[in-house]
């Protein structure tokens, strides 16, 4: 892989040994530039990072968390400190069914708790993908899905994205010319583009996928991060083919990624297989976290909590948008409806040069090509706004502006 860190960091292996003994599939394992940048920013605290997708840790009330933790230790340790059901803690599955999904056929039996939605991606990759599988992705696509699916060596196809969802002409072309088995989508405030599918496209595409008998993996990691509190209906809720429909959800962006908890809505015919694959991974998801999250869901004012996250991120988005407009008016981006990112085009720069010079100037963003199988997004960068404080963002944007001007003079 082409490294973005020529001056300080190498992500190649130190010896030949691992490649001699490693399984063939390991040559398809992708590294994540985002994780490398995160590591770099931890090592060098002078780097201001717009790179991570880190939710703000202060948005979860520490008072409620402390009292819940205490009660879990005192009153629920018999099962919180024990192995648990591989498909997850029943009370939590029931709460998810009631509060956090709109798929009409869901019951607590359809929910499987996972270690983050990332584990759901890996399990579904293991269940459905090998060299013969044709997998359709959005372009750009969530990098973690590429990391999860790539070791299974499927054939990837990419559909170009518009601000309101996939380009329908290309979607129909791809589906009519190839037998697509799986379509992976992230339709609300997508990572990285933040594009959000319109309700109309959700309905149309659900019908097309039914007709073509395509397995849908709908990733809802950002579902509740709409700045105005809207919640879009899932694409899955418009499908007739329940048996071909998987939905992944996550507590990472609405509570904390520290719990490492997410869930998968799994059709009945695949439940025992999904659970068996999960058992091979980890037997069951962190039982202690599950009990804590379940108690939190019971005790928190959920509407108020979501409201505070949404309005906080909305404010941060406005700050970064206006800083970019002020210091780099040439930068192009669509103001998102929700999420944690801006997807910014810096015209007339080579991504690699811009990236290296930004890092050398003490500021980090993620290059857009990381999120593409077809790699045409050469002057795009993903910028996170949920983590840095206002003053840090201003310094960071000024550093980027200087790099941009230096390259363009
Ligand atoms: C689109 C998307 N899906 C899934 C994940 C994985 O999240 P987690 O495993 O924390 O639930 C992320 C994390 O950033 C994401 O952006």
């Amino acid at each position: 892989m082409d490294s973005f860190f020529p001056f300080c960091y190498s992500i190649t292996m130190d010896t030949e040994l691992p490649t001699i003994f490693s399984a063939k599939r390991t040559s398809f394992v992708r590294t994540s530039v985002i994780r490398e940048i995160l590591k770099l920013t931890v090592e060098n605290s002078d780097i201001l990072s717009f790179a991570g997708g880190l939710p703000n840790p202060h948005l979860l009330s520490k008072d409620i968390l402390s009292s819940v933790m205490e009660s879990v230790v005192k009153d629920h340790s018999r099962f919180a400190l024990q192995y648990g059901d591989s498909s997850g803690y029943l009370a939590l599955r029931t709460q998810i069914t009631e509060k956090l999904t709109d798929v009409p056929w869901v019951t607590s039996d359809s929910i499987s708790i996972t270690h983050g939605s990332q584990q759901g991606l890996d399990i579904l990759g293991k269940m459905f993908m090998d060299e013969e599988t044709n997998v359709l992705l959005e372009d750009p696509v969530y990098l973690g899905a590429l990391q999860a699916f790539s070791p299974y060596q499927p054939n990837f196809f990419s559909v170009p994205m518009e601000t309101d969802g996939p380009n329908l002409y290309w979607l129909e072309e791809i589906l009519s010319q190839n037998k697509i088995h799986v379509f992976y989508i992230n339709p609300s405030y997508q990572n990285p583009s933040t594009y959000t599918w319109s309700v109309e496209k959700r309905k149309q595409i659900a019908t097309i996928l039914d007709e073509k008998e395509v397995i849908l993996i709908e990733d809802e990691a950002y579902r509740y991060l709409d700045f105005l509190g809207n919640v879009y209906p899932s694409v899955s809720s418009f499908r007739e083919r329940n048996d071909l429909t998987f939905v992944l959800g996550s507590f990472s962006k609405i509570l904390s990624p520290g719990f490492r908890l997410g869930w998968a809505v799994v059709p009945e015919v695949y439940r025992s297989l999904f659970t068996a694959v999960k058992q091979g991974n980890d037997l069951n998801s962190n039982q202690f976290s599950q009990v804590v999250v379940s108690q939190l869901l019971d005790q928190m004012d959920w509407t108020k909590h979501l409201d505070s996250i949404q309005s906080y991120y909305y404010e941060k988005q406005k700050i970064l948008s206006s800083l970019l407009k002020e210091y780099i008016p040439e930068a192009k981006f669509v103001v998102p409806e929700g999420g944690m990112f801006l997807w910014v085009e810096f015209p007339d720069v080579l991504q690699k040069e811009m990236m290296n010079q930004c890092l050398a100037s003490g500021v980090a963003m993620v290059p857009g090509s990381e999120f593409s199988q077809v790699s045409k997004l050469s002057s795009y960068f993903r910028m996170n706004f949920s983590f840095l404080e206002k003053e840090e963002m201003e310094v960071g944007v000024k550093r980027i502006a200087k790099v941009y001007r230096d390259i363009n003079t």
Side-chain angles (χ1 to χ4, degrees):
M1 180 183 175
D2 212 5
S3 172
F4 279 106
F5 311 102
F7 54 92
C8 53
Y9 195 80
S10 159
I11 54 174
T12 52
M13 291 185 180
D14 290 340
T15 79
E16 292 282 304
L17 207 56
T19 52
I20 297 171
F21 290 106
S22 300
K24 260 190 266 153
R25 81 181 74 83
T26 60
S27 51
F28 298 91
V29 170
R30 291 178 63 112
T31 49
S32 160
V33 159
I34 303 169
R35 301 278 139 198
E36 303 304 334
I37 296 173
L38 275 181
K39 206 168 149 190
L40 205 65
T41 53
V42 170
E43 282 161 12
N44 179 353
S45 57
D46 292 337
I47 296 182
L48 293 170
S49 178
F50 294 98
L54 304 180
N56 195 298
H58 305 301
L59 296 171
L60 177 58
S61 154
K62 301 294 175 299
D63 291 341
I64 298 181
L65 181 60
S66 308
S67 90
V68 161
M69 297 283 280
E70 201 179 323
S71 90
V72 170
V73 173
K74 274 199 193 140
D75 309 325
H76 304 286
S77 56
R78 197 169 54 86
F79 43 94
L81 297 179
Q82 195 47 274
Y83 287 112
D85 182 343
S86 300
S87 50
Y89 181 49
L90 180 58
L92 183 59
R93 288 192 276 128
T94 307
Q95 288 162 311
I96 293 169
T97 312
E98 286 164 2
K99 278 191 179 136
L100 296 170
T101 168
D102 68 346
V103 184
W105 47 273
V106 166
T107 65
S108 55
D109 289 339
S110 349
I111 306 282
S112 191
I113 306 289
T114 53
H115 267 131
S117 46
Q118 190 65 29
Q119 185 186 40
L121 292 171
D122 179 60
I123 293 175
L124 294 176
K126 205 175 255 173
M127 279 171 58
F128 292 115
M129 298 177 196
D130 55 29
E131 292 93 325
E132 272 86 52
T133 318
N134 293 334
V135 175
L136 182 59
L137 304 170
E138 298 167 311
D139 183 44
V141 63
Y142 166 53
L143 173 60
L146 285 180
Q147 283 192 290
F149 300 156
S150 293
Y152 306 113
Q153 301 161 51
N155 307 307
F156 287 125
F157 294 76
S158 294
V159 61
M161 293 298 286
E162 295 164 353
T163 51
D164 66 346
N167 176 300
L168 286 177
Y169 169 80
W170 281 112
L171 182 68
E172 305 248 24
E173 277 293 298
I174 294 168
L175 290 173
S176 62
Q177 286 178 22
N178 309 276
K179 173 59 202 159
I180 295 294
H181 302 98
V182 178
F183 188 15
Y184 164 72
I185 64 170
N186 177 207
S188 303
Y189 331 107
Q190 196 234 23
N191 179 2
S193 69
T194 71
Y195 298 157
T196 298
W197 297 23
S198 64
V199 175
E200 202 39 53
K201 276 198 177 169
R202 288 170 195 248
K203 286 185 190 160
Q204 275 175 286
I205 292 175
T207 307
I208 296 170
L209 297 181
D210 279 344
E211 280 163 15
K212 299 280 184 189
E213 302 196 306
V214 177
I215 290 176
L216 177 68
I217 302 179
E218 179 166 15
D219 183 338
E220 292 265 70
Y222 298 88
R223 178 176 168 83
Y224 297 99
L225 294 194
D226 188 288
F227 299 138
L228 301 179
N230 297 322
V231 181
Y232 276 82
S234 64
V235 178
S236 301
S237 68
F238 296 118
R239 283 201 84 177
E240 302 272 318
R241 291 298 303 268
N242 303 344
D243 56 333
L244 300 178
T245 304
F246 294 80
V247 184
L248 300 178
S250 174
F251 287 107
S252 293
K253 322 291 176 189
I254 47 179
L255 281 179
S256 156
F259 295 116
R260 296 311 300 127
L261 287 182
W263 64 92
V265 177
V266 182
E268 193 173 351
V269 281
Y270 289 112
R271 275 180 214 157
S272 50
L273 179 60
F274 190 97
T275 306
V277 174
K278 173 154 172 77
Q279 283 168 355
N281 271 347
D282 61 5
L283 304 181
N284 62 264
S285 295
N286 184 323
Q287 180 79 349
F288 191 82
S289 282
Q290 290 186 71
V291 180
V292 171
V293 166
S294 170
Q295 296 289 320
L296 279 173
L297 290 182
D298 258 353
Q299 294 184 29
M300 281 167 59
D301 181 338
W302 192 241
T303 314
K304 203 168 143 208
H305 173 68
L306 287 183
D307 201 45
S308 72
I309 299 177
Q310 290 156 351
S311 38
Y312 179 83
Y313 287 172
Y314 191 19
E315 283 314 305
K316 298 297 284 280
Q317 180 273 117
K318 285 194 264 185
I319 294 170
L320 183 57
S321 297
S322 70
L323 286 169
L324 285 169
K325 283 182 190 146
E326 182 179 347
Y327 293 106
I328 320 176
E330 300 90 332
K332 295 182 192 156
F333 55 92
V334 175
V335 176
E337 291 174 53
M340 306 193 311
F341 305 111
L342 292 185
W343 180 236
V344 187
E345 186 181 4
F346 294 95
D348 307 317
V349 293
L350 292 175
Q351 199 172 69
K352 193 172 171 191
E353 184 186 13
M354 176 100 173
M355 178 72 197
N356 283 335
Q357 293 200 24
C358 279
L359 281 174
S361 309
V363 60
M365 313 180 275
V366 186
S369 57
E370 280 302 299
F371 305 97
S372 180
Q373 278 297 100
V374 277
S375 240
K376 275 182 291 177
L377 306 155
S378 63
S379 53
Y380 278 86
F381 286 82
R382 190 194 74 177
M383 295 184 74
N384 169 266
F385 51 74
S386 58
F387 190 66
L388 290 180
E389 296 305 328
K390 183 178 178 197
E391 299 68 31
E392 295 171 317
M393 281 205 239
E394 178 154 18
V395 176
V397 170
K398 281 182 180 167
R399 288 180 188 171
I400 297 169
K402 178 163 184 333
V403 168
Y404 185 69
R405 305 262 164 268
D406 288 349
I407 292 177
N408 277 314
T409 48

